[in-house]
Amino acid sequence: MNEKQRLESQQVHAENPADKKSDKDYSKYFQAVYIPPSLKDAKKRGKEEVEYHDDFAIPEDFRGMGEGKKFYIRTYGCQMNEHDTEVMAGIFTALGYQPTNTVDDANVILLNTCAIRENAENKVFGELGHLKSLKLERPDLLLGVCGCMSQEESVVKRILEKHHFVDMIFGTHNIHRLPQILNEAYLSKEMVIEVWSKEGDVIENLPKVRKGKTKAWVNIMYGCDKFCTYCIVPFTRGKERSRRPEDIIQEVRHLAAQGYKEITLLGQNVNAYGKDFTDIKYRLGDLMDEIRKIDIPRIRFTTSHPRDFDDHLIEVLAKGGNLVDHIHLPVQSGSTETLKIMARKYTREQYLELVRKIKEAIPTASLTTDIIVGYPNETEEHFEETMSLYREVGFDAAYTFIYSPREGTPAAKMQDNVPMEVKKERLQRLNALVNETCALKMKEYDGQIVEVLVEGESKKNPDVLAGYTTKNKLVNFKGPKSAIGQIVKVKITGTKTWSLNGDMVEEATAIEVE
C-alpha cells in the first residue's frame, strides 16, 4: 500500500507540472494520498495492513549526501517525538551530515511537530515565520515540517497556502524514508510532500543518535486505538502495533552493555503492548518480567491507560528490583459522566479500584496523572469530583490542561460550552491543590537518604548537580562532576514544591538484578 501511494503521488506530479511551488494544484494530491481523520473509518482498522521490516539500510546512492552539511532538528511535544528525533538524527548522521545547535549554520532544518494542543501548533507556525527570512537569505537551505502536525490535512493546506518556502512535509509513518525525501527535495523545484494516511509499518534497525549516555527511550509500540474524543493521536500516529519482544529485549541488552542507567519503555498507550499479536499471548507484564532481569538499574514505562493496566502487570511491578515504583496513570477527569463524554471507557470507581490494587501490591508506589478541565458539558459538580478524586488518590503531581478543541476529533464537533473564564478559574483551583499536595509529599523526604541518577549540572547553577529519584523527584545537590551519569546517595536537607535539595553522601551500590 505504501508503494501504491507513492506511485499515485508521482502520477499526480506528472499530471500537474509546475515551475513554482505556489502555482501547483494540490487538490488531486489530497484525493490520492491524504485522507483526513475519520473516526468511522479508523475504527475499522485491520491487522493485515501492518508489515514488519527488519532490513532498513541507507541506500548506497545516498551515502555521502550530507558530506560538508549540517542538520538541525527542533522538537515539540512528547517523548515519542523526542525519540523520533533521535532516529532522524541517526539517519542524518548515517548520510554524512553533522549536527548543529543553531539554525544559523544549518543546511537542513526540521521542525518535528506535536498536534496534541493548539498552543503547540501555534508555536510551530510562529517558528516558520521566523525561519522565512533565513530561507530568503539562503535559498539552498532545506526547511521541513514533520511529525504529528503533518498528519493533519488542515495543517498541510495551511502550509501550502501561506508558507511556500517550506521544502518538505512528511508524517509520522515514513521517517524511515528521510533519505529519499531529502534527495527529492534537493532535486525538485516543488514542495515535497509525503504524508501517508495508512497505519504505518514497524521498521527495525533504524539508526539512532541518543541524547546523553545515561537515560534512553525504547519504543515498544506505536499508535493508539482508544479514540478518546479529545485526542488526535489515533489519527496522527495510527493504530496500535507492537514491536516483537525479541527486538525490544535485544535493544535493551545493547543499551545495558553501553552503560545506560535508565530505560523508559515508550508507547502512546504503552500498556496495550502485545494486544495486537495474533501468534503469541504476550503483554507488557511479560515484557517487563523479562527486562527486569537485564542489568540496568532502572526501568520505567509511559504513558499508560487505566483500561489496559491489568493484574499481571501490577504483579510484575510488585517484584521491584530495577522496576521503579513511579507510575504515570492519566485519569483526565474524576467525573464518570465527563469520562463517558471523553470516551475513556472506565468510571471513577473503576479508576479508584485500580489505584487500590496498585497501592496494595506496591505500598511505596507514587502516582502522577494528567487532568483536563473545562471539557464540554463539565459542570461545577463534575469538576469538584475531579478535585475529590485527586485528594482521595493522593497523587504526587499532575500535568493539568485547559480543554481546547482539536480539529478532526469528535470533541471538536461538540459545543464548547464552558466559558474560558470558568476554565481558567477551575484550572487555578486545581493547580492550587496540585501544588499544595506536591509540597506536602516533598516534605516527607526531609532528612531521608535517596538514590539519585545524576543527569548533569543544574540549569540554574553550574556548581550544583541535578538528577532524579526512582519516584521521578528532582534533586539538586553539590557534588563532584564525576558523579554525572552515576547513581549516588543524597541526604535531603530542604524541600520545595517541585524539587528537593540535599548533600551527597556516597555513590550508591548497584541494584542487584535477578
Side-chain angles (χ1 to χ4, degrees):
M1 188 170 176
N2 294 353
E3 188 61 32
K4 179 184 175 185
Q5 287 184 316
R6 284 202 293 276
L7 291 172
E8 287 174 338
S9 178
Q10 289 167 4
Q11 185 178 356
V12 171
H13 277 266
E15 292 170 356
N16 294 275
D19 292 329
K20 296 179 181 178
K21 295 175 186 176
S22 57
D23 292 339
K24 185 166 182 177
D25 174 15
Y26 284 94
S27 59
K28 291 186 179 180
Y29 170 84
F30 285 113
Q31 292 168 17
V33 180
Y34 193 91
I35 302 171
S38 163
L39 188 63
K40 183 179 178 182
D41 292 341
K43 286 192 171 182
K44 295 177 182 175
R45 294 168 166 177
K47 291 185 174 68
E48 69 283 356
E49 292 179 13
V50 173
E51 297 176 2
Y52 293 84
H53 301 274
D54 59 2
D55 55 351
F56 176 84
I58 300 292
E60 287 299 323
D61 292 352
F62 299 150
R63 289 190 180 276
M65 174 195 290
E67 292 298 332
K69 298 187 180 78
K70 295 181 179 180
F71 72 93
Y72 174 90
I73 307 175
R74 179 158 294 171
T75 311
Y76 303 81
C78 66
Q79 293 101 325
M80 194 71 77
N81 274 21
E82 294 279 1
H83 187 268
D84 286 347
T85 289
E86 290 182 341
V87 172
M88 289 189 288
I91 294 173
F92 271 118
T93 303
L95 290 169
Y97 290 86
Q98 295 295 317
T100 177
N101 293 319
T102 172
V103 297
D104 297 329
D105 64 346
N107 302 99
V108 182
I109 298 172
L110 290 184
L111 303 183
N112 187 8
T113 63
C114 171
I116 291 291
R117 276 170 285 281
E118 186 178 12
N119 186 42
E121 193 170 297
N122 291 337
K123 283 182 181 178
V124 172
F125 282 113
E127 184 63 22
L128 282 177
H130 294 311
L131 291 172
K132 182 176 182 179
S133 58
L134 194 65
K135 176 69 176 175
L136 292 173
E137 289 172 20
R138 296 162 48 203
D140 291 339
L141 168 69
L142 286 188
L143 179 58
V145 177
C146 59
C148 288
M149 272 176 58
S150 302
Q151 296 289 149
E152 297 183 85
E153 182 178 21
S154 60
V155 169
V156 177
K157 283 184 174 177
R158 181 173 171 183
I159 294 173
L160 294 174
E161 290 169 2
K162 298 183 179 180
H163 303 279
H164 300 146
F165 54 91
V166 171
D167 298 287
M168 304 170 285
I169 306 173
F170 59 98
T172 58
H173 301 329
N174 47 346
I175 287 171
H176 61 288
R177 280 189 42 81
L178 181 57
Q180 289 85 351
I181 293 167
L182 286 167
N183 184 60
E184 190 174 343
Y186 281 124
L187 299 176
S188 178
K189 293 179 181 180
E190 301 172 345
M191 192 184 297
V192 176
I193 308 173
E194 188 168 298
V195 182
W196 294 342
S197 56
K198 71 155 294 191
E199 297 300 348
D201 298 331
V202 175
I203 314 292
E204 295 292 348
N205 298 323
L206 289 165
K208 300 176 187 73
V209 174
R210 298 185 187 273
K211 284 187 177 179
K213 298 291 183 183
T214 305
K215 298 167 75 171
W217 293 309
V218 174
N219 248 126
I220 67 169
M221 66 174 301
Y222 307 90
C224 181
D225 287 347
K226 288 297 176 283
F227 295 102
C228 302
T229 52
Y230 54 82
C231 189
I232 198 72
V233 166
F235 306 109
T236 61
R237 289 281 179 179
K239 72 177 176 185
E240 290 173 356
R241 51 207 191 277
S242 305
R243 293 178 62 197
R244 302 298 297 186
E246 57 271 20
D247 292 324
I248 298 166
I249 292 166
Q250 181 183 18
E251 184 174 348
V252 174
R253 288 192 185 282
H254 182 61
L255 291 167
Q258 291 179 290
Y260 282 87
K261 300 293 192 296
E262 181 175 303
I263 302 295
T264 301
L265 306 180
L266 284 184
Q268 241 74 42
N269 179 21
V270 71
N271 50 341
Y273 174 78
K275 286 178 74 175
D276 55 317
F277 290 145
T278 56
D279 58 331
I280 55 173
K281 188 176 180 182
Y282 193 97
R283 296 293 306 280
L284 181 60
D286 301 299
L287 182 65
M288 297 289 281
D289 208 17
E290 289 199 59
I291 289 180
R292 73 183 183 86
K293 299 169 187 173
I294 299 174
D295 188 18
I296 282 186
R298 294 181 181 179
I299 304 290
R300 302 182 185 274
F301 63 92
T302 197
T303 289
S304 58
H305 193 293
R307 277 181 65 198
D308 291 320
F309 214 111
D310 58 41
D311 292 346
H312 181 235
L313 177 59
I314 296 173
E315 181 186 318
V316 171
L317 293 176
K319 295 179 181 180
N322 59 358
L323 305 181
V324 302
D325 49 359
H326 166 242
I327 297 169
H328 189 66
L329 192 64
V331 66
Q332 306 303 358
S333 173
S335 161
T336 295
E337 216 168 308
T338 303
L339 289 170
K340 187 175 182 180
I341 297 171
M342 290 178 168
R344 293 290 285 175
K345 304 291 176 66
Y346 55 82
T347 64
R348 172 194 177 94
E349 290 71 28
Q350 287 169 330
Y351 185 91
L352 289 172
E353 173 61 15
L354 173 59
V355 168
R356 186 197 65 76
K357 284 182 180 179
I358 291 172
K359 289 186 172 183
E360 185 178 276
I362 316 165
T364 62
S366 67
L367 297 174
T368 54
T369 196
D370 297 340
I371 296 174
I372 299 171
V373 301
Y375 207 68
N377 295 328
E378 182 189 68
T379 65
E380 180 63 23
E381 183 183 353
H382 296 153
F383 174 70
E384 282 297 341
E385 287 184 281
T386 296
M387 296 283 278
S388 68
L389 180 134
Y390 196 91
R391 295 187 190 97
E392 187 171 343
V393 172
F395 290 107
D396 279 42
Y399 296 101
T400 60
F401 311 96
I402 284 178
Y403 168 73
S404 61
R406 303 301 295 125
E407 186 178 344
T409 64
K413 297 175 183 177
M414 300 177 190
Q415 185 182 355
D416 189 8
N417 53 7
V418 180
M420 181 53 72
E421 59 268 23
V422 174
K423 292 180 183 180
K424 288 180 178 178
E425 189 268 341
R426 287 177 185 170
L427 183 70
Q428 194 173 13
R429 281 158 57 197
L430 176 60
N431 283 344
L433 175 62
V434 170
N435 292 345
E436 177 191 347
T437 309
C438 189
L440 289 172
K441 292 277 186 182
M442 289 300 202
K443 282 188 184 299
E444 295 174 5
Y445 287 89
D446 204 10
Q448 286 191 24
I449 293 176
V450 296
E451 292 188 348
V452 177
L453 176 53
V454 188
E455 295 192 17
E457 298 172 354
S458 166
K459 292 178 181 177
K460 296 181 180 178
N461 186 348
D463 296 328
V464 173
L465 299 181
Y468 287 86
T469 68
T470 57
K471 296 187 195 305
N472 217 33
K473 306 295 184 190
L474 174 62
V475 181
N476 295 300
F477 65 98
K478 288 193 175 180
K481 296 290 191 285
S482 59
I484 294 174
Q486 304 301 316
I487 294 177
V488 301
K489 289 184 178 178
V490 176
K491 183 172 183 179
I492 302 305
T493 58
T495 69
K496 297 181 179 180
T497 303
W498 298 106
S499 64
L500 303 167
N501 293 333
D503 294 323
M504 181 172 159
V505 179
E506 61 179 80
E507 289 195 18
T509 54
I511 295 173
E512 288 191 11
V513 180
E514 293 178 16

PDB file of all heavy atoms in Angstrom, residues 15 34 63 74-75 141 143 166 177 197 213 231 285 287 312 330 334 431 498 511:
ATOM      1  N   GLU A  15       0.902  14.815 -13.716  1.00  0.00           N
ATOM      2  CA  GLU A  15      -0.258  15.448 -14.322  1.00  0.00           C
ATOM      3  C   GLU A  15      -0.317  16.950 -14.053  1.00  0.00           C
ATOM      4  O   GLU A  15      -1.065  17.666 -14.679  1.00  0.00           O
ATOM      5  CB  GLU A  15      -1.540  14.800 -13.781  1.00  0.00           C
ATOM      6  CG  GLU A  15      -1.712  13.362 -14.253  1.00  0.00           C
ATOM      7  CD  GLU A  15      -2.846  12.678 -13.520  1.00  0.00           C
ATOM      8  OE1 GLU A  15      -3.429  13.297 -12.611  1.00  0.00           O
ATOM      9  OE2 GLU A  15      -3.162  11.532 -13.860  1.00  0.00           O
ATOM     10  N   TYR A  34      -3.696  11.780   0.651  1.00  0.00           N
ATOM     11  CA  TYR A  34      -4.037  12.184   2.005  1.00  0.00           C
ATOM     12  C   TYR A  34      -5.512  11.965   2.293  1.00  0.00           C
ATOM     13  O   TYR A  34      -6.370  12.415   1.550  1.00  0.00           O
ATOM     14  CB  TYR A  34      -3.698  13.667   2.239  1.00  0.00           C
ATOM     15  CG  TYR A  34      -3.750  13.992   3.707  1.00  0.00           C
ATOM     16  CD1 TYR A  34      -2.611  13.877   4.487  1.00  0.00           C
ATOM     17  CD2 TYR A  34      -4.943  14.340   4.312  1.00  0.00           C
ATOM     18  CE1 TYR A  34      -2.664  14.122   5.845  1.00  0.00           C
ATOM     19  CE2 TYR A  34      -5.001  14.583   5.662  1.00  0.00           C
ATOM     20  CZ  TYR A  34      -3.853  14.478   6.425  1.00  0.00           C
ATOM     21  OH  TYR A  34      -3.915  14.711   7.764  1.00  0.00           O
ATOM     22  N   ARG A  63      24.532   7.577   0.309  1.00  0.00           N
ATOM     23  CA  ARG A  63      25.636   7.715   1.269  1.00  0.00           C
ATOM     24  C   ARG A  63      26.531   8.874   0.828  1.00  0.00           C
ATOM     25  O   ARG A  63      26.889   8.993  -0.333  1.00  0.00           O
ATOM     26  CB  ARG A  63      26.440   6.418   1.360  1.00  0.00           C
ATOM     27  CG  ARG A  63      25.672   5.309   2.066  1.00  0.00           C
ATOM     28  CD  ARG A  63      26.555   4.108   2.363  1.00  0.00           C
ATOM     29  NE  ARG A  63      25.791   3.052   3.036  1.00  0.00           N
ATOM     30  CZ  ARG A  63      25.561   3.010   4.338  1.00  0.00           C
ATOM     31  NH1 ARG A  63      26.048   3.978   5.101  1.00  0.00           N
ATOM     32  NH2 ARG A  63      24.867   2.030   4.869  1.00  0.00           N
ATOM     33  N   ARG A  74      14.336  20.805  15.549  1.00  0.00           N
ATOM     34  CA  ARG A  74      13.662  21.365  16.729  1.00  0.00           C
ATOM     35  C   ARG A  74      12.469  20.478  17.032  1.00  0.00           C
ATOM     36  O   ARG A  74      11.637  20.223  16.159  1.00  0.00           O
ATOM     37  CB  ARG A  74      13.215  22.796  16.469  1.00  0.00           C
ATOM     38  CG  ARG A  74      12.487  23.438  17.654  1.00  0.00           C
ATOM     39  CD  ARG A  74      12.519  24.949  17.589  1.00  0.00           C
ATOM     40  NE  ARG A  74      13.879  25.456  17.744  1.00  0.00           N
ATOM     41  CZ  ARG A  74      14.224  26.719  17.561  1.00  0.00           C
ATOM     42  NH1 ARG A  74      13.320  27.608  17.194  1.00  0.00           N
ATOM     43  NH2 ARG A  74      15.473  27.105  17.724  1.00  0.00           N
ATOM     44  N   THR A  75      12.397  20.009  18.288  1.00  0.00           N
ATOM     45  CA  THR A  75      11.387  19.019  18.660  1.00  0.00           C
ATOM     46  C   THR A  75      10.341  19.618  19.585  1.00  0.00           C
ATOM     47  O   THR A  75      10.674  20.300  20.550  1.00  0.00           O
ATOM     48  CB  THR A  75      12.050  17.822  19.374  1.00  0.00           C
ATOM     49  OG1 THR A  75      13.176  17.391  18.602  1.00  0.00           O
ATOM     50  CG2 THR A  75      11.081  16.668  19.522  1.00  0.00           C
ATOM     51  N   LEU A 141      19.044  26.415   1.624  1.00  0.00           N
ATOM     52  CA  LEU A 141      18.639  25.803   2.887  1.00  0.00           C
ATOM     53  C   LEU A 141      17.381  24.963   2.661  1.00  0.00           C
ATOM     54  O   LEU A 141      16.436  25.403   2.009  1.00  0.00           O
ATOM     55  CB  LEU A 141      18.348  26.909   3.911  1.00  0.00           C
ATOM     56  CG  LEU A 141      17.633  26.496   5.208  1.00  0.00           C
ATOM     57  CD1 LEU A 141      18.542  25.650   6.086  1.00  0.00           C
ATOM     58  CD2 LEU A 141      17.173  27.737   5.969  1.00  0.00           C
ATOM     59  N   LEU A 143      14.122  23.350   4.372  1.00  0.00           N
ATOM     60  CA  LEU A 143      13.293  23.534   5.554  1.00  0.00           C
ATOM     61  C   LEU A 143      12.136  22.544   5.510  1.00  0.00           C
ATOM     62  O   LEU A 143      11.396  22.495   4.516  1.00  0.00           O
ATOM     63  CB  LEU A 143      12.768  24.976   5.590  1.00  0.00           C
ATOM     64  CG  LEU A 143      11.856  25.376   6.750  1.00  0.00           C
ATOM     65  CD1 LEU A 143      12.536  25.150   8.088  1.00  0.00           C
ATOM     66  CD2 LEU A 143      11.428  26.835   6.593  1.00  0.00           C
ATOM     67  N   VAL A 166       8.540  26.459   2.544  1.00  0.00           N
ATOM     68  CA  VAL A 166       8.822  25.145   3.136  1.00  0.00           C
ATOM     69  C   VAL A 166       9.133  24.159   2.005  1.00  0.00           C
ATOM     70  O   VAL A 166       8.447  24.135   0.984  1.00  0.00           O
ATOM     71  CB  VAL A 166       7.627  24.649   3.981  1.00  0.00           C
ATOM     72  CG1 VAL A 166       7.820  23.203   4.415  1.00  0.00           C
ATOM     73  CG2 VAL A 166       7.438  25.552   5.198  1.00  0.00           C
ATOM     74  N   ARG A 177      11.938   6.978   5.477  1.00  0.00           N
ATOM     75  CA  ARG A 177      12.173   7.396   4.093  1.00  0.00           C
ATOM     76  C   ARG A 177      12.823   8.779   4.009  1.00  0.00           C
ATOM     77  O   ARG A 177      12.854   9.393   2.948  1.00  0.00           O
ATOM     78  CB  ARG A 177      10.845   7.380   3.309  1.00  0.00           C
ATOM     79  CG  ARG A 177      10.481   5.956   2.856  1.00  0.00           C
ATOM     80  CD  ARG A 177       9.303   5.946   1.918  1.00  0.00           C
ATOM     81  NE  ARG A 177       9.297   6.976   0.910  1.00  0.00           N
ATOM     82  CZ  ARG A 177       9.977   6.928  -0.244  1.00  0.00           C
ATOM     83  NH1 ARG A 177      10.752   5.880  -0.516  1.00  0.00           N
ATOM     84  NH2 ARG A 177       9.897   7.928  -1.109  1.00  0.00           N
ATOM     85  N   SER A 197      -1.562   8.253   4.889  1.00  0.00           N
ATOM     86  CA  SER A 197      -2.702   8.102   5.778  1.00  0.00           C
ATOM     87  C   SER A 197      -2.861   6.652   6.229  1.00  0.00           C
ATOM     88  O   SER A 197      -3.712   6.354   7.041  1.00  0.00           O
ATOM     89  CB  SER A 197      -3.979   8.557   5.074  1.00  0.00           C
ATOM     90  OG  SER A 197      -4.149   7.841   3.872  1.00  0.00           O
ATOM     91  N   LYS A 213      24.230   9.685  27.638  1.00  0.00           N
ATOM     92  CA  LYS A 213      24.656   8.293  27.790  1.00  0.00           C
ATOM     93  C   LYS A 213      24.106   7.678  29.067  1.00  0.00           C
ATOM     94  O   LYS A 213      24.563   6.614  29.494  1.00  0.00           O
ATOM     95  CB  LYS A 213      26.193   8.219  27.816  1.00  0.00           C
ATOM     96  CG  LYS A 213      26.869   8.706  26.540  1.00  0.00           C
ATOM     97  CD  LYS A 213      26.620   7.757  25.389  1.00  0.00           C
ATOM     98  CE  LYS A 213      27.363   8.195  24.132  1.00  0.00           C
ATOM     99  NZ  LYS A 213      27.065   7.308  22.980  1.00  0.00           N
ATOM    100  N   CYS A 231      -8.737  13.553  21.523  1.00  0.00           N
ATOM    101  CA  CYS A 231      -7.354  13.267  21.139  1.00  0.00           C
ATOM    102  C   CYS A 231      -7.180  12.991  19.651  1.00  0.00           C
ATOM    103  O   CYS A 231      -7.916  12.194  19.059  1.00  0.00           O
ATOM    104  CB  CYS A 231      -6.845  12.076  21.952  1.00  0.00           C
ATOM    105  SG  CYS A 231      -5.069  11.785  21.766  1.00  0.00           S
ATOM    106  N   GLY A 285       3.248  -6.915  30.894  1.00  0.00           N
ATOM    107  CA  GLY A 285       3.732  -7.593  32.096  1.00  0.00           C
ATOM    108  C   GLY A 285       4.783  -8.637  31.760  1.00  0.00           C
ATOM    109  O   GLY A 285       5.793  -8.772  32.469  1.00  0.00           O
ATOM    110  N   LEU A 287       6.761  -8.648  29.108  1.00  0.00           N
ATOM    111  CA  LEU A 287       7.961  -7.946  28.656  1.00  0.00           C
ATOM    112  C   LEU A 287       8.730  -7.378  29.845  1.00  0.00           C
ATOM    113  O   LEU A 287       9.961  -7.528  29.936  1.00  0.00           O
ATOM    114  CB  LEU A 287       7.570  -6.824  27.696  1.00  0.00           C
ATOM    115  CG  LEU A 287       8.717  -6.013  27.098  1.00  0.00           C
ATOM    116  CD1 LEU A 287       9.588  -6.872  26.189  1.00  0.00           C
ATOM    117  CD2 LEU A 287       8.187  -4.807  26.328  1.00  0.00           C
ATOM    118  N   HIS A 312      -1.759  -8.723  35.963  1.00  0.00           N
ATOM    119  CA  HIS A 312      -0.444  -9.335  35.777  1.00  0.00           C
ATOM    120  C   HIS A 312       0.661  -8.284  35.770  1.00  0.00           C
ATOM    121  O   HIS A 312       1.741  -8.495  36.338  1.00  0.00           O
ATOM    122  CB  HIS A 312      -0.402 -10.142  34.474  1.00  0.00           C
ATOM    123  CG  HIS A 312       0.910 -10.825  34.240  1.00  0.00           C
ATOM    124  ND1 HIS A 312       1.656 -10.653  33.086  1.00  0.00           N
ATOM    125  CD2 HIS A 312       1.639 -11.654  35.024  1.00  0.00           C
ATOM    126  CE1 HIS A 312       2.768 -11.364  33.178  1.00  0.00           C
ATOM    127  NE2 HIS A 312       2.781 -11.977  34.336  1.00  0.00           N
ATOM    128  N   PRO A 330      -2.729   8.551  33.680  1.00  0.00           N
ATOM    129  CA  PRO A 330      -3.654   9.655  33.361  1.00  0.00           C
ATOM    130  C   PRO A 330      -5.111   9.304  33.667  1.00  0.00           C
ATOM    131  O   PRO A 330      -5.606   8.278  33.219  1.00  0.00           O
ATOM    132  CB  PRO A 330      -3.444   9.853  31.854  1.00  0.00           C
ATOM    133  CG  PRO A 330      -2.062   9.326  31.591  1.00  0.00           C
ATOM    134  CD  PRO A 330      -1.914   8.155  32.525  1.00  0.00           C
ATOM    135  N   GLY A 334     -12.295  13.297  37.175  1.00  0.00           N
ATOM    136  CA  GLY A 334     -12.781  12.470  38.278  1.00  0.00           C
ATOM    137  C   GLY A 334     -14.270  12.207  38.209  1.00  0.00           C
ATOM    138  O   GLY A 334     -14.841  11.574  39.092  1.00  0.00           O
ATOM    139  N   ASN A 431      -4.731  23.637  40.198  1.00  0.00           N
ATOM    140  CA  ASN A 431      -3.283  23.799  40.357  1.00  0.00           C
ATOM    141  C   ASN A 431      -2.904  24.127  41.790  1.00  0.00           C
ATOM    142  O   ASN A 431      -1.849  23.706  42.278  1.00  0.00           O
ATOM    143  CB  ASN A 431      -2.762  24.880  39.409  1.00  0.00           C
ATOM    144  CG  ASN A 431      -2.646  24.387  37.980  1.00  0.00           C
ATOM    145  OD1 ASN A 431      -2.661  23.180  37.734  1.00  0.00           O
ATOM    146  ND2 ASN A 431      -2.544  25.295  37.028  1.00  0.00           N
ATOM    147  N   TRP A 498       8.429  21.589  43.931  1.00  0.00           N
ATOM    148  CA  TRP A 498       8.692  20.699  42.801  1.00  0.00           C
ATOM    149  C   TRP A 498      10.082  20.077  42.817  1.00  0.00           C
ATOM    150  O   TRP A 498      10.441  19.364  41.889  1.00  0.00           O
ATOM    151  CB  TRP A 498       8.505  21.457  41.473  1.00  0.00           C
ATOM    152  CG  TRP A 498       7.107  21.943  41.293  1.00  0.00           C
ATOM    153  CD1 TRP A 498       6.654  23.217  41.408  1.00  0.00           C
ATOM    154  CD2 TRP A 498       5.953  21.141  40.994  1.00  0.00           C
ATOM    155  NE1 TRP A 498       5.291  23.277  41.191  1.00  0.00           N
ATOM    156  CE2 TRP A 498       4.837  22.020  40.933  1.00  0.00           C
ATOM    157  CE3 TRP A 498       5.757  19.783  40.770  1.00  0.00           C
ATOM    158  CZ2 TRP A 498       3.547  21.571  40.665  1.00  0.00           C
ATOM    159  CZ3 TRP A 498       4.470  19.344  40.488  1.00  0.00           C
ATOM    160  CH2 TRP A 498       3.385  20.225  40.436  1.00  0.00           C
ATOM    161  N   ILE A 511      22.024  -1.844  41.951  1.00  0.00           N
ATOM    162  CA  ILE A 511      20.877  -2.695  42.295  1.00  0.00           C
ATOM    163  C   ILE A 511      21.113  -4.086  41.713  1.00  0.00           C
ATOM    164  O   ILE A 511      21.462  -4.242  40.546  1.00  0.00           O
ATOM    165  CB  ILE A 511      19.583  -2.104  41.718  1.00  0.00           C
ATOM    166  CG1 ILE A 511      19.296  -0.755  42.393  1.00  0.00           C
ATOM    167  CG2 ILE A 511      18.406  -3.042  41.908  1.00  0.00           C
ATOM    168  CD1 ILE A 511      18.141  -0.013  41.774  1.00  0.00           C
TER     169      ILE A 511
END
